Amino acid sequence: MAATTDAPFAGPLGSEVKSLASLVKKSFSSSGLGTPLIIPKGYGCVVLIGIGSVVLLKWKSMKVSEARRDFTVPNPITHSDSCMNFNCTYRAMQSTLEIYPQFLFLLLTGGLELPYLSTVGGFIWIVGRYAYAKGYYSGDPRKRANGGFYIVGQFLLLIGAIKFALKRMVL
């Protein structure tokens, strides 16, 4: 058992530990846990984009509720044989939900490596998904293609996540 003293940072790492930051780093390295996660400057922008995506989903959810009321399509019905406008409104929401987990994963992971690129990519994704929904809400499903540029944002997010992964690969 190691002897304890009143000296700052005394213990198994001894006198070579000069600050709390180096103590944490050495603790992670010696325990086999790797390096501690450092949140980069600018990551707050990434978090704000995540919040913006929640606002987008809430808006789409409200549009579905509004369409249910306007076209008298009760819950839990998700498809109407007689109302294309309801179907388009519902699909605009559902198609976003289908890709939302990958969006969040890429945003939050890539943001740890390239926070500003991820912020731009996330913003493009949100604006693209908004334009996608507005086109779909027209009742003509082909107009959803107006928001197809969201894929550019998703590609930027993918770049950040790949760079994050490659920097941390242990072969």
Side-chain angles (χ1 to χ4, degrees):
M1 182 173 266
T4 60
T5 67
D6 291 333
F9 307 114
L13 299 176
S15 62
E16 60 188 76
V17 178
K18 300 200 176 15
S19 69
L20 183 57
S22 63
L23 173 66
V24 170
K25 188 173 184 178
K26 287 184 181 291
S27 295
F28 272 83
S29 297
S30 64
S31 67
L33 295 175
T35 57
L37 179 64
I38 309 263
I39 305 296
K41 185 176 181 178
Y43 197 76
C45 297
V46 173
V47 173
L48 287 175
I49 290 296
I51 292 168
S53 74
V54 170
V55 171
L56 174 72
L57 289 183
K58 187 60 185 165
W59 172 73
K60 287 184 171 196
S61 175
M62 290 168 40
K63 293 297 280 182
V64 170
S65 294
E66 186 179 296
R68 284 188 182 286
R69 185 189 66 235
D70 293 348
F71 304 117
T72 58
V73 179
N75 270 322
I77 296 171
T78 59
H79 178 79
S80 171
D81 291 330
S82 61
C83 186
M84 180 60 92
N85 281 18
F86 171 77
N87 294 337
C88 288
T89 302
Y90 185 82
R91 281 300 305 152
M93 172 68 169
Q94 189 60 34
S95 65
T96 299
L97 289 175
E98 290 165 2
I99 63 171
Y100 193 59
Q102 69 187 21
F103 164 75
L104 285 179
F105 173 76
L106 294 174
L107 174 71
L108 298 176
T109 304
L112 290 170
E113 187 64 35
L114 297 169
Y116 298 113
L117 180 70
S118 294
T119 298
V120 170
F123 181 77
I124 292 169
W125 188 90
I126 289 171
V127 172
R129 294 310 294 185
Y130 174 81
Y132 180 93
K134 291 297 278 184
Y136 231 153
Y137 296 162
S138 72
D140 180 0
R142 292 173 296 185
K143 290 185 180 176
R144 72 187 188 275
N146 296 343
F149 63 89
Y150 79 89
I151 200 73
V152 173
Q154 195 159 346
F155 181 72
L156 294 176
L157 296 173
L158 184 62
I159 290 170
I162 289 171
K163 185 167 184 207
F164 177 84
L166 291 176
K167 253 177 104 170
R168 286 153 185 85
M169 286 180 60
V170 179
L171 300 175

